[in-house]
Amino acid sequence: MKNTSNHNAHRRQSLKQIASLTGLLAGVGYSSFAQAAYNKAAFDSKSVNEAVKFQGGGGIVESKDIVLNAPDYAENGSAVALGVSTSLSGVRKILILIEKNPATLSAAFEVSEWIEANFATRVKMSQTSDVYAVAIMADGRALFSKKEVKVTIGSCGA
């Protein structure tokens, strides 16, 4: 016969650890309903400036310190490979915005001194559009780089 008391004790200990971790994360705001609503508003925004504002940035300023890797042409609008990086210190968020998409904000990455500001992802593009890579700085500045990406076929539809 199997010894279930050891198994149950191990399961109870695991559940306690999960509950402790959940409490810790909630204490630092990861499960905040206000933050979730704030992010929803950012992802529902219809303009670059509005999305940046909802993510805590001010007016956007072009910067050569923000590197956006994007193709000139995308043959498949449903999976456009993009990369963004910067070596600036004080970056708190990196945003990828597609100006002519139904929802402008396509990706948002949290950055800290322990996380290098270097991200790659694939996004859907409904049509040819300017793509923005925006770095939200600790002081609220919003620095950006942009590039037009021409979508030829297979767009996600507007």
Side-chain angles (χ1 to χ4, degrees):
M1 189 165 178
K2 211 178 199 182
N3 183 353
T4 57
S5 65
N6 252 356
H7 179 69
N8 287 338
H10 180 68
R11 184 173 22 179
R12 279 192 298 275
Q13 183 63 28
S14 294
L15 289 173
K16 284 180 189 178
Q17 289 172 343
I18 290 169
S20 294
L21 180 59
T22 302
L24 176 66
L25 291 175
V28 295
Y30 278 93
S31 65
S32 164
F33 289 112
Q35 184 66 28
Y38 189 68
N39 283 335
K40 182 176 179 351
F43 279 101
D44 288 344
S45 63
K46 302 297 181 202
S47 75
V48 170
N49 287 326
E50 188 178 76
V52 169
K53 178 182 148 197
F54 279 123
Q55 287 293 310
I60 62 173
V61 177
E62 194 161 8
S63 172
K64 294 184 188 285
D65 293 317
I66 311 304
V67 178
L68 172 62
N69 293 314
D72 293 328
Y73 293 91
E75 290 185 21
N76 183 356
S78 64
V80 180
L82 301 174
V84 59
S85 64
T86 183
S87 59
L88 291 172
S89 60
V91 176
R92 293 293 164 244
K93 290 184 183 178
I94 294 286
L95 311 176
I96 295 176
L97 302 114
I98 314 296
E99 188 172 49
K100 292 184 182 176
N101 265 10
T104 305
L105 181 60
S106 292
F109 303 97
E110 297 287 329
V111 181
S112 72
E113 63 225 39
W114 301 285
I115 299 172
E116 182 180 349
N118 185 356
F119 301 96
T121 190
R122 293 186 181 272
V123 298
K124 286 187 176 183
M125 291 185 65
S126 59
Q127 60 185 301
T128 296
S129 178
D130 282 338
V131 175
Y132 288 77
V134 179
I136 306 291
M137 307 303 288
D139 62 6
R141 291 179 301 144
L143 307 175
F144 80 93
S145 178
K146 78 175 181 177
K147 181 177 182 179
E148 182 183 57
V149 176
K150 295 179 175 124
V151 178
T152 56
I153 61 169
S155 65
C156 65

